[in-house]
Amino acid sequence: MSAPDFWVLLGTDYCGKSSVLAELAARTGPVQPMSYDPALLPGDYGALAALPNALVAARAGRHSPEYVMALLNVAVAYLWDRVATAPPGRTPLLDSYYYKILVKCRLLGLTGGPWQDHWRSLPRPAGVIFLDVPPGTAWLRSGGGALLNAMEHYGPTAGEESFTRFQRDLRTGLLDEVRGLRVEHVPAGQGIAATADHVLRAMKE
């Protein structure tokens, strides 16, 4: 597969990726944000909007790991479909790419099928922008756990300890997956507009 020049916006849960991507999407500039977040999906990709609910059911044990991973591959395939239709002169900025999906599957014991090998065979980005956020801040953004889904914490019940431990392991796993790539860290606490500006500067440099 021939890969265009693209970047990845990466981070743990509730790091602010969706807000930054929405901010960039509202601007007319050199970056084309691409996300499988339901709030950011184009109208003709409505089938992906049902993915979060399907994954919650899958993690509840009603589906096999192979089925869960096949669902997750739809999100990865969607990103490539969007990259292929990116407007000329705009650099795609992909939400998480396959990295977050792959690491979460590993942490939650979801294995089987060809998916992990397939994801790792995909083209590598020109660089990664990593949004850093402390687990305590992420916990507050999750409404003290009220907004969590089953793929954002360890165990059957969401709690601050299981969430914090999962997020720390997730961060370690993500950085391990992108080792060898150019990674630019963007600290928390700048505000959405300032963070978006930081992302643009990092991509330009």
Side-chain angles (χ1 to χ4, degrees):
M1 182 186 301
S2 177
D5 184 32
F6 70 97
W7 283 69
V8 172
L9 187 65
L10 194 59
T12 54
D13 296 320
Y14 302 94
C15 68
K17 284 190 294 79
S18 294
S19 296
V20 171
L21 289 167
E23 170 71 18
L24 291 171
R27 303 182 183 186
T28 301
V31 172
Q32 180 67 46
M34 298 175 179
S35 175
Y36 40 74
D37 186 312
L40 299 173
L41 285 173
D44 53 347
Y45 288 96
L48 266 176
L51 186 58
N53 288 336
L55 292 175
V56 170
R59 280 292 295 148
R62 297 197 289 273
H63 305 304
S64 68
E66 291 81 3
Y67 178 75
V68 179
M69 295 177 76
L71 287 176
L72 291 166
N73 185 63
V74 174
V76 179
Y78 158 77
L79 289 176
W80 271 114
D81 194 57
R82 293 283 288 154
V83 166
T85 59
R90 302 193 77 188
T91 301
L93 178 62
L94 277 55
D95 181 356
S96 301
Y97 198 22
Y98 68 82
Y99 299 121
K100 195 168 184 178
I101 288 173
L102 189 153
V103 174
K104 283 194 172 191
C105 285
R106 185 169 70 243
L107 294 179
L108 296 171
L110 297 172
T111 59
W115 302 115
Q116 295 189 42
D117 290 340
H118 168 63
W119 295 332
R120 287 197 175 107
S121 75
L122 294 173
R124 290 157 70 85
V128 174
I129 308 294
F130 198 97
L131 300 186
D132 271 309
V133 61
T137 300
W139 175 254
L140 293 175
R141 290 178 179 177
S142 77
L147 302 177
L148 297 184
N149 67 50
M151 298 193 73
E152 296 174 342
H153 59 86
Y154 285 122
T157 305
E160 185 170 6
E161 187 278 332
S162 64
F163 173 80
T164 297
R165 186 161 48 90
F166 183 81
Q167 297 306 314
R168 286 175 175 160
D169 290 347
L170 178 59
R171 184 182 188 278
T172 298
L174 291 173
L175 291 175
D176 184 60
E177 284 295 330
V178 299
R179 183 178 297 148
L181 293 172
R182 175 185 172 186
V183 179
E184 299 288 341
H185 289 263
V186 176
Q190 301 186 82
I192 295 171
T195 301
D197 290 340
H198 196 149
V199 168
L200 292 175
R201 287 195 304 272
M203 292 177 65
K204 184 177 181 180
E205 293 168 0

